[in-house]
C-alpha cells in the first residue's frame, strides 16, 4: 500500500481547529482510494515561543526534512509580534526547503457568493504564482540614528536565479494547465531597480514560450483589474510581496479568504513542500470551533495532487463542492450558516464516502 | 479680484485631452465665483524626452516654484521606459516640493455602477492618505554580478520624520473631517525592518489622538477587505507603495479609475502642491478625444479647495454629480456612453453655470 508521511503543524488559533478537521477528510479519501497518510504532529506555535523563547526547536527543520509534505494550519498570535512568529517558523520552512513557488488558485466555488456583481463559478478562475523565497521579504536592513533622526532601511533582494525560476515555473504551469496566458505584476515606474529587472527577465523568459501569451501591469492597476475584470486572468505571476497582496485580494473577490488554499512548492522535490490555507490564525474566533475548514481541506487536496494522488485530490474537491451546495448542510458562520468546523468537515467526509 | 497662478502640465497621452477639458470647467467656476485662475502651460512630456533627452529642462522645478499649484495630466508613454519618465518629472516634483501627502478620495459617484454588489453612493466613501516622498520608491540600490549570478538590490528608506508626518497628517485629517477612524496598512509580518517601525510609529502617533479610533491590517488582507467590506473604512494611511496600490484598488471598487483624483500636498504650503488624476496616460485610447475627464475635473476641485476656494470646489463637484445623473448627457465610452471628452466637460460646465 502507498504510504506518505506528513508533518502536521496546526500552529496557532484556528489552525488547531481546521487542521484536525481537514485531516479527517483527507484520511477518508486515502482510505477510500487505498493509500495511507501518516500524520506526525508537531506542536510548534506562539505558545511554544512564550514557553521556550523559540517558535520551534533548533533542529526543527531537520525533523521536518524527511517527510513527504508539511501540512500547516496558521502561525501568529497576539502577544507575539508577527515578525517574530513568522520569521521563526513559517518563513524559514519556505526558505530552507526551497519552496520558491507559492501557488494559489483564485476560484469562485459553487454555493459561495462573490462580492462582485453578476459573477458565477467559472467567471473567476485563475492562479497566482508567487515568488516565495526572496524579494521584498528580507532580513537585510536595520535602524540607525535615534529619536527624531532615526532612519530605517529595508532591503529587497532579487536574484537572477530566483527571478528566472519563478517566471519559468509560471510559464511552464500555464503551458501544462492549458491556460496559455501569463500576466506579470510589476511596478517598474516606482521601484527603480528591482522591477525594471523583473520586467527584463519576464520578457526574456517569456520569449522562450512563444505559445504562451504574456502581458504585464503595474501592481496598482492590476489590483483594480482583479475587481473590474477578473475573467481576463489565467496565470498571474508576482514577486513575494506583490504575489502576497494579489493572492489575498483574489480570494476576496471570491467571497471569503477562509476558503483559499496555498501550496508552497519545491518543484524539484529535493525537499518537502508545504500546504497551508491563505487565512491566518484568526484570534477573534479561535477556540469557538466555528472556523471555516475549507481553505485547509482544499490545501490538503493540493497536497494530495502534489504527492501524485490526482484522483483522490479531485475527489476531495468534488466532495467539498457537493457539500457546499447541499441544502441541508450547516455551513460555518462566515458563510452565513450556524455550523461548526467539525460538523462541516464531517459533512464533507460523508459526502466523499458516498461519491 | 483673487488671482491664482497655476502651472499646467498636460504631459502625455490623454493628459493632453483631459487637462484642457478640466480647465474649461475650472475657469467657468472661477468666473462664476469671482476669482481668476491663470494657467501657464508647460509642455513637458515623453515627447520632450525623445527630442531633448530630458523630461523637463534643468531649471524645470524652479520654473514651477512660484506658482500657487501644479495641475498635471499624466506622464509616461510607450517608447520611454516608465522609470525614466516618472523619475524625470513626476517624482522629482513630488519630492522637491515636499508633497509628502498624497490624498485620494475613494467615493462612489452617483450614476456610476460599482462592480461590487448592492453598493450605492454613501456605501463607499473613504480617503486614502499615502506617504508620497520616501519609503519603497527609492533610487538606492543597483545591480551586481553578471549573467546567472546577477543580484539586484532595492532599498526602501523610512525616516522617523517622514513616517511621523504622514501619520500625523492622517490623524489630523480624520479629526478635521469628523471621520475619526484611521486604519494603517502594514506588512510587519513579512517586511522585517520597515513595517515593525511603521507600526511602532503608528501606535505612538495614534496615542496623541485619543479621540480618533485606530486599527491596522496587513496590506494583503486589507486589500481583500476593500472588496468585502468597504463600508468600514474612513481614513486609510499607507506607505508610498501600499498607498499606491490601495488607492488604485479603491477607485476599482467605485467602478473605474478614470474618475479618481489625487492631491499631492505640501501641507505647510512652503511649496506648490500638485493635483493629478490617478489614471495614467492611457496610450490605448489617446488621441481619440474620448477619455473620461472626471478624474482631472475632480482633481481640479481638490485644487480649488486647497487654494482656499471651498465653495467653488463644492460647486464643481455638484455640477459633476448632477451631470452624471442627467439622462441626456453623453458619457464617455468607459462609462458605457458614446460621448467625447470635450462634450462631457462642456456638459459639466453648462450644468455648473446653471446651478
Ligand atoms: C506613475 C507612478 C510612478 C505613480 C506612482 O506609483 O506613484 C502612479 O501610479 C500614481 O499613483 O501616481
Ligand atoms: C504570514 C505572512 C508572513 C504570510 C506572507 O505574507 O507570506 C501570509 O500572509 C501568507 O500569504 O502566507
Amino acid at each position: 500500500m502507498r504510504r506518505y508521511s506528513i508533518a502536521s503543524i496546526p500552529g496557532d488559533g484556528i489552525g488547531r481547529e481546521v487542521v484536525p478537521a481537514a485531516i479527517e477528510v483527507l484520511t477518508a479519501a486515502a482510505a477510500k482510494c487505498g493509500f495511507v497518510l501518516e500524520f506526525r504532529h508537531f506542536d510548534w506555535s506562539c505558545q511554544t515561543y512564550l514557553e521556550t523563547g523559540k517558535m520551534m526547536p533548533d533542529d526543527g527543520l531537520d525533523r521536518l526534512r524527511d517527510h513527504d509534505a508539511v501540512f500547516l494550519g496558521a502561525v501568529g498570535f497576539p502577544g507575539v509580534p508577527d515578525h517574530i512568529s513568522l520569521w521563526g517558523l513559517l518563513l524559514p520552512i519556505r526558505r530552507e526547503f526551497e519552496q520558491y513557488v507559492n501557488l494559489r488558485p483564485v476560484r469562485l466555488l459553487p454555493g459561495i457568493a462573490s462580492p462582485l456583481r453578476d459573477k458565477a463559478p467559472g467567471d473567476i478562475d485563475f492562479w497566482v504564482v508567487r515568488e516565495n523565497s526572496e524579494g521584498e521579504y528580507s532580513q537585510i536592513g536595520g535602524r540607525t540614528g535615534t529619536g527624531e533622526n532615526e532612519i530605517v532601511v529595508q532591503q529587497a533582494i532579487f536574484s537572477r536565479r530566483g527571478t528566472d525560476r519563478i517566471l519559468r515555473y509560471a510559464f511552464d504551469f500555464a503551458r501544462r494547465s492549458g491556460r496559455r496566458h501569463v500576466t506579470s505584476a510589476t511596478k517598474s515606474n516606482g521601484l527603480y531597480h528591482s522591477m525594471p529587472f523583473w520586467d527584463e527577465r519576464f520578457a526574456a523568459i517569456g520569449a522562450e514560450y512563444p505559445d504562451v501569451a504574456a502581458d504585464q501591469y503595474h501592481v496598482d492597476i492590476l489590483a483594480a483589474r482583479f475587481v473590474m475584470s477578473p475573467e481576463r486572468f489565467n496565470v498571474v505571476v508576482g514577486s513575494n510581496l506583490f504575489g502576497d497582496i494579489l493572492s489575498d485580494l483574489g480570494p476576496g473577490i471570491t467571497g471569503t479568504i477562509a476558503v483559499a488554499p496555498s501550496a508552497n512548492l519545491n518543484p524539484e522535490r529535493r525537499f518537502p513542500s508545504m500546504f497551508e490555507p491563505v487565512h491566518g490564525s484568526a484570534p477573534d474566533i479561535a477556540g469557538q470551533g466555528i472556523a471555516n475548514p475549507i481553505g485547509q481541506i482544499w490545501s490538503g487536496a493540493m497536497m494530495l495532487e502534489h504527492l501524485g494522488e490526482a484522483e483522490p485530490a479531485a475527489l476531495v474537491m468534488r466532495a467539498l463542492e457537493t457539500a457546499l451546495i447541499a441544502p441541508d448542510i450547516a455551513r460555518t458562520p462566515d458563510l452565513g450558516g450556524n455550523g461548526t468546523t467539525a460538523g462541516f468537515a464531517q459533512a464533507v467526509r460523508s459526502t466523499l464516502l458516498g461519491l
Side-chain angles (χ1 to χ4, degrees), chain A:
Chain A
M1 203 174 316
R2 304 185 306 285
R3 303 186 160 268
Y4 304 98
S5 76
I6 314 290
S8 104
I9 309 175
D12 294 299
I14 63 168
R16 313 183 80 82
E17 301 163 40
V18 292
V19 166
I23 287 179
E24 250 193 84
V25 175
L26 298 176
T27 305
K32 184 169 168 128
C33 300
F35 63 95
V36 177
L37 294 172
E38 289 171 342
F39 287 94
R40 186 177 311 163
H41 297 280
F42 294 88
D43 196 7
W44 301 337
S45 65
C46 289
Q47 193 57 38
T48 317
Y49 175 81
L50 292 174
E51 286 159 12
T52 67
K54 289 184 178 149
M55 290 294 300
M56 60 178 168
D58 286 340
D59 64 346
L61 293 171
D62 282 333
R63 295 205 213 168
L64 299 178
R65 203 179 293 272
D66 291 329
H67 292 79
D68 293 310
V70 179
F71 194 52
L72 182 100
V75 179
F77 217 70
V80 180
D82 273 348
H83 62 288
I84 288 181
S85 54
L86 279 318
W87 284 91
L89 181 50
L90 182 68
L91 298 173
I93 297 178
R94 289 182 180 168
R95 284 172 190 214
E96 176 76 12
F97 294 153
E98 291 208 35
Q99 297 167 349
Y100 61 84
V101 176
N102 194 313
L103 182 64
R104 301 186 171 185
V106 176
R107 174 144 45 100
L108 183 56
L109 294 180
I112 297 188
S114 166
L116 303 184
R117 273 189 290 129
D118 308 326
K119 300 292 179 225
D123 292 336
I124 307 179
D125 184 7
F126 61 92
W127 296 81
V128 175
V129 174
R130 166 185 174 188
E131 204 294 317
N132 208 32
S133 65
E134 52 168 43
E136 302 87 347
Y137 289 24
S138 125
Q139 279 168 302
I140 301 186
R143 299 164 71 143
T144 186
T146 52
E148 297 300 317
N149 299 318
E150 190 166 16
I151 302 279
V152 179
V153 158
Q154 172 75 52
Q155 192 101 282
I157 315 275
F158 290 76
S159 70
R160 161 95 173 246
R161 175 166 174 270
T163 306
D164 282 11
R165 69 184 178 182
I166 192 67
L167 294 173
R168 212 165 257 132
Y169 183 90
F171 280 101
D172 279 333
F173 181 82
R175 186 180 269 172
R176 195 163 67 230
S177 66
R179 310 198 51 185
R180 297 170 182 264
H181 171 206
V182 177
T183 301
S184 165
T186 183
K187 187 64 204 177
S188 45
N189 54 3
L191 300 177
Y192 197 81
H193 299 284
S194 53
M195 285 294 137
F197 171 74
W198 174 276
D199 291 355
E200 207 178 291
R201 298 315 305 158
F202 182 71
I205 306 290
E208 297 172 14
Y209 297 80
D211 55 321
V212 179
D215 55 11
Q216 65 183 56
Y217 293 95
H218 294 304
V219 63
D220 46 338
I221 184 70
L222 185 56
R225 279 179 197 259
F226 268 32
V227 174
M228 295 189 297
S229 46
E231 301 81 0
R232 68 178 310 293
F233 298 106
N234 286 311
V235 176
V236 177
V237 64
S239 66
N240 210 334
L241 177 64
F242 292 172
D244 176 50
I245 296 171
L246 294 171
S247 64
D248 264 33
L249 178 59
I253 63 172
T254 67
T256 160
I257 82 153
V259 306
S262 79
N264 299 273
L265 300 173
N266 174 245
E268 293 76 21
R269 294 164 190 268
R270 285 184 53 214
F271 303 104
S273 292
M274 175 166 64
F275 302 82
E276 47 156 347
V278 168
H279 66 70
S281 63
D284 50 324
I285 58 159
Q288 300 177 39
I290 55 167
N292 186 334
I294 296 183
Q296 192 76 46
I297 296 172
W298 193 348
S299 298
M302 292 184 84
M303 179 170 75
L304 296 183
E305 171 105 36
H306 177 78
L307 293 172
E309 301 289 351
E311 263 181 58
L315 188 68
V316 170
M317 288 312 291
R318 203 139 31 90
L320 195 56
E321 299 190 2
T322 308
L324 264 173
I325 52 175
D328 53 333
I329 282 178
R331 292 141 44 112
T332 46
D334 60 307
L335 296 182
N338 59 2
T340 63
T341 309
F344 187 81
Q346 273 298 342
V348 176
R349 181 176 177 277
S350 46
T351 307
L352 185 149
L353 293 175
L355 281 176

